[in-house]
Amino acid sequence: MSSEKTLAIVVRVVEFSETSCIVTLFTRDFGKIGALAKGARRPKSSFESALDLLAVCRIVFLHKSSESLDLLTEAKLERRFRAATRDLSRLYAGYYVAELLRDLTHGGDPYPALYDAADATLLELEGELEVQRIVLRFEMRALDILGHLPALHGCAACGQAMDVTGRILFGQLAGGLLCPSCRAGQRQVVSVTAEASETLRLFAAPHEDQWQYVPVDARTRGEIRGILGQYISNLLDRRPRMHDYLGVLSSGTTK
């Protein structure tokens, strides 16, 4: 076994015994790992309360080559998730970030860019930016980094560039926009507005900050929530556990 050090976001904590717990951590250098934290539940644990859900911590763990759990030997708290003290919407948004980190990734696959995006999202939730906007940005960046971003510039089936005006076909199973020629035989095809498609493109752009300011009206927001809700459900083979909360987001106000 080798000893490894990295930064990690706590995405799940499960009681294992009277004194220990099993944690799922999304790390910057090793991706998602599961680890046994012996003694973490003791009143004066050496983990210093660093293993709270959504906390960012600096960890040391013994990496096992088999499929068994790694052994967490040290966790120093870097930052606690404080947005939960402001309102429930920010707490639930944090839970959704943790759910996507857990369920859209495979153990041991490092995604430093996804870690950075999640870390930035948790910080943004502590600021003044709207929750709906922050959540949509994280969804689109996560899908892009993991290779699941829907085709939004051309046809997902044939690759042909498309004139994105009026209403456009979107294939949930095909993986994005569809030209009329590729519609036949496709399942789960919906019609979306050009506004919704353009908004998704803006929120997916990796190095731009327009997503913070672009106007999004209530109709477009609701349409996007429906599109992404079904798209991510298909990727997970189930509805996200935070699905009902995400529906509430679509009815909120957006600048």
Side-chain angles (χ1 to χ4, degrees):
M1 293 185 295
S2 59
S3 178
E4 308 287 1
K5 298 180 181 180
T6 187
L7 283 168
I9 298 170
V10 182
V11 295
R12 176 179 284 159
V13 182
V14 178
E15 294 180 3
F16 178 70
S17 67
E18 290 185 3
T19 59
S20 302
C21 61
I22 294 173
V23 292
T24 305
L25 304 162
F26 192 80
T27 73
R28 192 176 193 282
D29 301 300
F30 302 93
K32 181 176 65 178
I33 66 170
L36 176 62
K38 292 183 178 180
R41 301 183 61 215
R42 290 184 181 134
K44 295 184 179 180
S45 165
S46 59
F47 294 108
E48 300 177 355
S49 302
L51 299 180
D52 291 337
L53 186 62
L54 297 172
V56 176
C57 49
R58 193 170 296 276
I59 66 168
V60 179
F61 67 101
L62 295 177
H63 189 46
K64 298 189 177 181
S65 56
S66 65
E67 294 184 359
S68 58
L69 291 169
D70 295 327
L71 181 62
L72 192 66
T73 59
E74 185 178 326
K76 299 287 187 183
L77 181 67
E78 291 280 312
R79 189 179 74 245
R80 204 177 299 282
F81 183 63
R82 300 188 183 280
T85 62
R86 297 182 52 188
D87 59 68
L88 281 176
S89 69
R90 293 178 187 270
L91 173 64
Y92 293 151
Y95 287 168
Y96 183 54
V97 169
E99 181 175 8
L100 292 186
L101 291 176
R102 286 195 316 265
D103 297 344
L104 277 179
T105 62
H106 298 289
D109 290 341
Y111 289 100
L114 181 56
Y115 176 91
D116 292 342
D119 188 39
T121 297
L122 296 179
L123 278 173
E124 285 157 359
L125 287 170
E126 296 185 11
E128 300 302 321
L129 203 59
E130 297 165 297
V131 179
Q132 304 100 310
R133 205 173 282 271
I134 296 169
V135 167
L136 177 56
R137 171 64 170 178
F138 179 72
E139 287 173 310
M140 297 305 290
R141 290 296 299 126
L143 291 174
D144 188 15
I145 293 165
L146 294 172
H148 298 307
L149 188 69
L152 298 170
H153 296 276
C155 177
C158 69
Q160 176 183 334
M162 295 173 56
D163 182 18
V164 184
T165 57
R167 298 196 71 87
I168 319 105
L169 297 175
F170 185 98
Q172 291 282 1
L173 299 179
L177 301 183
L178 287 171
C179 66
S181 300
C182 294
R183 168 63 180 88
Q186 298 285 353
R187 295 183 295 120
Q188 291 193 27
V189 177
V190 295
S191 173
V192 302
T193 61
E195 290 83 2
S197 177
E198 176 63 21
T199 299
L200 288 173
R201 281 199 297 271
L202 287 173
F203 274 75
H207 303 300
E208 298 179 15
D209 60 2
Q210 284 179 280
W211 66 274
Q212 297 185 32
Y213 316 106
V214 61
V216 185
D217 61 35
R219 184 192 68 175
T220 302
R221 185 172 59 247
E223 185 178 15
I224 286 173
R225 241 338 356 110
I227 294 167
L228 278 185
Q230 185 58 52
Y231 189 79
I232 292 174
S233 293
N234 286 337
L235 291 175
L236 297 176
D237 288 327
R238 61 167 179 79
R239 290 200 320 169
R241 293 182 178 86
M242 300 303 295
H243 185 273
D244 292 340
Y245 158 72
L246 296 174
V248 171
L249 274 186
S250 67
S251 62
T253 58
T254 304
K255 294 178 182 177

